Amino acid sequence: MTRLRFALLNAAHDDTDTKRNFRREVDADLVEFHATEGRLPDSFDFDGFLVTGSRSSVYWDEAWIQPLKDWAREAVDRGLPALGVCYGHQLLADVLGGTVEGMGAYEIGYREITHLDNTPLFAGIDEHFLSFTSHQDAVTELPPGATRTAENDYGVHGFQLGDSFGVQFHPEYDMETARLLTESKDLTDEKRAEVMGGITEENYARAQQAKLVFENFCDYVREVKDIPRAPARR
């Protein structure tokens, strides 16, 4: 039995919550690289890779962004399955030939999303599901050949192209992360109160289903790479 080994490309600038959340949700050995500090893998010896969220935009001129794009593009070309979350979703779309733009609006809070039942990533998830969101950029044009897999009134919330998957929402968030992020954002008092009021045990429980994307991604990688399932963690 073999345990999956993923590169975790951490694009968060303050990465404490990010590391905790992905370690909790992804049933694989995660080799972490702080992409914002210019730290990237020196090989492609992984079963797949993940790209996290970030407060940056993929089209910004920051020194660390282009090397991250270059590594991700080569990893995809070498056949590594990929899962991008929020910024990671946008970055994968960008390197695969799609377009990412500012929305002129900010989607934040627990929001309903619809998946289109056309990808293994959403197996076991209701057609209409809840997850926490936080973004002001969006994939406005999918990469050539990509399939839109999830959406809501703000636009694309998921896509698949080959073995690469992106989700705009944050299935990894816990309530602590959602509260801290909301407190840190430049929101009106009314908007902040609205979002904070939605961070409830009930909504968090409803959003648990969205976390299946991580299990489904791991299952997908095992299938395409013919990797036996490792014993469950105790």
Side-chain angles (χ1 to χ4, degrees), residues 8 10-25 30 32-37 52-55 172-174 176-178 180-181:
L8 178 65
N10 194 335
H13 294 267
D14 181 6
D15 62 2
T16 303
D17 289 339
T18 301
K19 289 191 294 186
R20 182 188 74 245
N21 290 333
F22 276 87
R23 286 172 180 170
R24 181 186 63 246
E25 302 299 341
L30 301 180
E32 299 166 7
F33 299 91
H34 303 293
T36 58
E37 299 175 4
T52 75
S54 178
R55 66 170 180 256
E172 80 281 12
Y173 271 21
D174 54 20
E176 177 185 357
T177 304
L180 289 173
L181 179 135

Side-chain angles (χ1 to χ4, degrees), residues 67-126:
L68 174 58
K69 289 182 180 182
D70 292 343
W71 191 93
R73 175 74 255 189
E74 185 170 354
V76 170
D77 289 345
R78 288 171 174 260
L80 267 67
L83 174 61
V85 174
C86 195
Y87 175 88
H89 154 87
Q90 296 164 12
L91 183 130
L92 287 176
D94 178 275
V95 303
L96 293 171
T99 302
V100 177
E101 297 176 297
M103 299 190 299
Y106 191 32
E107 182 178 23
I108 183 170
Y110 280 107
R111 299 268 302 158
E112 188 170 278
I113 300 159
T114 299
H115 79 77
L116 306 178
D117 197 23
N118 56 2
T119 174
L121 199 67
F122 290 106
I125 299 175
D126 290 342

